[in-house]
Amino acid sequence: QVQLVESGGGSVQAGGSLRLSCAASVGTFNTATLGWFRQAPGKEREFVAGISWSGTATFYSTSVKDRFTISKGRAENTVSLQMSGLEPAGAAVYYCAMSGAAVATLTREYDYWGQGTQVTVSS
């Protein structure tokens, strides 16, 4: 059973920064992607960033590229999302997810999801 637990959400003013973390209780995979998605009220869940299990490949949505950084954490099976330059449009529930695919950006490619952590951005 794969479990993903997010932490680090909160409130920040526009232009501020937050760091989200995700702890995955899984074994070791040769091929997998850990990703971050977000969902604002009334909108579809959208891909934000992803990282290969090895940590060697990262990819981002165009809306966050150059402002957000995804990385593998120091602790085994953890992944972080450093967010800077947050905008009110970035306010959403952020989800950590895991896919068995090597590179995955679509919601349907992810099999496991965390409960989400709220990020609020005030203008």
Side-chain angles (χ1 to χ4, degrees):
Q1 182 75 16
V2 175
Q3 289 187 328
L4 304 170
V5 179
E6 304 96 338
S7 61
S11 298
V12 65
Q13 290 189 331
S17 300
L18 276 177
R19 186 178 183 89
L20 305 182
S21 295
C22 173
S25 61
V26 298
T28 300
F29 291 80
N30 292 325
T31 302
T33 299
L34 289 169
W36 286 96
F37 287 74
R38 65 187 180 189
Q39 187 167 21
K43 295 188 177 181
E44 294 187 354
R45 192 169 297 187
E46 64 172 352
F47 173 78
V48 174
I51 187 167
S52 61
W53 186 259
S54 64
T56 57
T58 59
F59 37 99
Y60 301 88
S61 70
T62 55
S63 63
V64 306
K65 189 175 177 59
D66 297 328
R67 296 186 297 116
F68 290 13
T69 302
I70 189 171
S71 61
K72 293 295 290 294
R74 294 180 180 178
E76 189 175 2
N77 295 348
T78 61
V79 61
S80 296
L81 182 69
Q82 178 67 45
M83 306 184 293
S84 61
L86 280 162
E87 303 167 341
V93 176
Y94 282 70
Y95 296 91
C96 176
M98 182 175 170
S99 168
V103 176
T105 62
L106 302 177
T107 305
R108 64 174 182 264
E109 295 179 294
Y110 284 78
D111 303 305
Y112 304 100
W113 295 84
Q115 292 300 308
T117 185
Q118 179 72 50
V119 171
T120 302
V121 184
S122 58
S123 57

